[in-house]
Amino acid sequence: MAMNDYADNRWKDRPQVWEDRFALKVAYSFPPGHGLLAGARYPVLCFLHGDKECGRGPDKGKEIERAMSEHGPLLADESCSIARAKFIIVCPQLPYPGGDVWRNHCGAVLQIVRQMHEREQGDPTATYLAGFSYGGDGVFDIAAMGSDISWKALWGVDPTREPIGKPGCATWLSAGPRARAAKQAAAQPRL
């Protein structure tokens, strides 16, 4: 399905995609004017997706352009326009079947972020890691594994399990209605 065929077609600034530059497919967006000013640096936002946004398979998954423009910083919505205007945004996509496996792809995620610093004017002092659901788990897993990247902040949204380790930087943890409903159901007495 082409981007123009999407039912909601609000996405004007479609993400670009690197199919084979990295070990994972990556949807990305550069701020307006990126590359025009020598020496300019841009903050980097790396977003890790949840389970159903993995590469296409027989029972789930999506094409990367669609998966990364339905929620997260490449959302086809004005609410993310500030992020798109100011940040280099990279959204790697797990291959099918996806799942809670971002920790297995830590090296690939770090390579993507390093490349933004080294080749795309990314600011190593302003680099953020965020994720939703299994991607939220991945945020904390990758931070706990340690690396040469100094994350400015981490943001896990609706992770499926408790974060591990002490991240050593500003950290936000958001739990939406889905997470609250699951915790309430788990807290119900069982007969």
Side-chain angles (χ1 to χ4, degrees):
M1 178 183 295
M3 285 295 295
N4 291 340
D5 296 335
Y6 289 168
D8 127 359
N9 204 14
R10 293 176 293 161
W11 183 232
K12 297 179 290 204
D13 304 315
R14 293 185 181 98
Q16 300 295 308
V17 175
W18 285 307
E19 295 275 346
D20 53 12
R21 180 173 172 182
F22 301 102
L24 299 172
K25 285 184 182 179
V26 179
Y28 68 96
S29 173
F30 292 139
H34 172 266
L36 297 179
L37 297 174
R41 297 298 239 177
Y42 300 90
V44 177
L45 174 59
C46 179
F47 178 78
L48 308 179
H49 64 75
D51 187 45
K52 292 183 177 50
E53 291 78 34
C54 66
R56 187 174 294 284
D59 58 338
K60 66 179 178 182
K62 298 175 181 170
E63 296 303 320
I64 189 169
E65 296 90 343
R66 182 168 186 161
M68 300 308 153
S69 62
E70 290 184 339
H71 65 262
L74 295 177
L75 176 70
D77 188 292
E78 288 302 310
S79 66
C80 293
S81 62
I82 293 173
R84 290 192 312 267
K86 304 275 185 195
F87 286 78
I88 293 172
I89 300 171
V90 289
C91 302
Q93 185 183 40
L94 290 173
Y96 178 83
D100 187 9
V101 295
W102 280 108
R103 67 186 157 279
N104 301 339
H105 297 274
C106 177
V109 171
L110 297 175
Q111 178 196 23
I112 292 162
V113 172
R114 281 188 204 102
Q115 291 277 320
M116 296 308 102
H117 296 159
E118 295 167 7
R119 295 187 181 178
E120 303 296 348
Q121 297 179 278
D123 185 347
T125 67
T127 300
Y128 304 82
L129 183 60
F132 172 73
S133 186
Y134 285 147
D137 295 329
V139 165
F140 299 115
D141 290 345
I142 289 171
M145 294 173 92
S147 77
D148 58 333
I149 294 174
S150 297
W151 303 107
K152 180 88 171 186
L154 307 173
W155 184 14
V157 179
D158 280 346
T160 65
R161 56 185 162 77
E162 281 188 45
I164 57 173
K166 294 182 181 179
C169 64
T171 304
W172 297 283
L173 176 62
S174 299
R178 189 177 122 211
R180 284 190 291 273
K183 286 180 184 177
Q184 288 172 349
Q188 296 300 313
R190 307 228 190 263
L191 300 177

